[in-house]
Amino acid sequence: FHIGDDIDENLKYLISEMKRSLDPNINTNRIPITFYIDSNGGNAIYTISIAKIIIDSPIHTIAHGIHVLSCATIIFVACDERYLYRNISVFMLHSLKLDLYELQLQDEYSNNTNTKFFEAYCRENMHIIQDIINIFQKNTSLSISYLVEILYGYDNRDDFFSAREIISCNIAYII
């Protein structure tokens, strides 16, 4: 499978093909699926749906091309074997951008607060962030404190990883 551009565009195809390929009646020898990934990322909720299927499956991923950014990094890390070509230039993680700030501003300016909706939205996003932290904890050597700081961060910073940093954090191995 190739995961490129925006993860959201590939979602239906990717999930249906993964489920079919991982079906023990079809894949009796549990032959691993291989993803080739070069992506800008996508929607965090969709990404977690994919990652939850991936995390306990025999899936290998190879980063190729120029970059693996944002949610694409999460899918990459969820795979049990992760490799990177020498020409990959960068991986990136950042705080989960789920438009909470914009939603809050809209409520403030309209004087029409949707407090219950906002609180439910925040609770759901906390579950998503915890799922992402669990994936990174299982498959990398990144610290919990770093993951909490970057994923919950309100400073909207982007953290970029060079190939050397990717290897040193056990995110991937070079092929």
Side-chain angles (χ1 to χ4, degrees):
F1 298 106
H2 178 263
I3 301 173
D5 301 322
D6 192 352
I7 289 170
D8 305 347
E9 295 172 8
N10 300 314
L11 182 67
K12 281 185 182 177
Y13 171 76
L14 186 61
I15 289 178
S16 67
E17 286 300 305
M18 282 173 43
K19 285 183 177 179
R20 188 182 66 73
S21 297
L22 294 170
D23 183 337
N25 296 321
I26 295 171
N27 188 355
T28 55
N29 296 328
R30 290 192 45 95
I31 297 168
I33 296 172
T34 301
F35 288 154
Y36 295 89
I37 191 164
D38 174 22
S39 174
N40 295 324
N43 181 293
I45 294 169
Y46 297 150
T47 298
I48 287 300
S49 299
I50 295 168
K52 284 183 175 183
I53 296 169
I54 291 171
I55 196 74
D56 294 318
S57 304
I59 298 179
H60 303 170
T61 188
I62 299 172
H64 73 98
I66 299 171
H67 56 268
V68 177
L69 304 177
S70 186
C71 288
T73 302
I74 297 165
I75 289 177
F76 184 88
V77 169
C79 296
D80 64 335
E81 290 189 25
R82 303 167 306 280
Y83 302 98
L84 109 122
Y85 283 122
R86 292 182 190 278
N87 66 338
I88 192 82
S89 60
V90 70
F91 275 45
M92 186 265 289
L93 274 178
H94 56 79
S95 58
L96 209 56
K97 293 176 175 78
L98 295 169
D99 300 326
L100 288 177
Y101 181 69
E102 291 175 18
L103 183 66
Q104 189 176 21
L105 280 179
Q106 182 182 23
D107 284 346
E108 287 175 13
Y109 288 118
S110 68
N111 291 326
N112 187 12
T113 58
N114 296 318
T115 308
K116 288 183 181 180
F117 172 75
F118 185 73
E119 288 173 356
Y121 194 72
C122 289
R123 276 193 306 276
E124 179 60 29
N125 293 332
M126 291 178 81
H127 291 292
I128 291 168
I129 292 172
Q130 189 57 55
D131 288 341
I132 294 168
I133 289 171
N134 292 342
I135 289 167
F136 274 84
Q137 264 217 286
K138 178 180 178 193
N139 289 344
T140 73
S141 61
L142 293 171
S143 71
I144 294 177
S145 60
Y146 168 77
L147 293 167
V148 166
E149 178 184 329
I150 190 68
L151 294 172
Y152 282 104
Y154 297 103
D155 56 3
N156 289 324
R157 80 174 198 244
D158 297 333
D159 276 11
F160 293 90
F161 295 83
S162 68
R164 181 165 297 168
E165 291 168 320
I166 293 164
I167 302 301
S168 71
C169 294
N170 297 321
I171 294 171
Y173 307 97
I174 290 182
I175 57 170

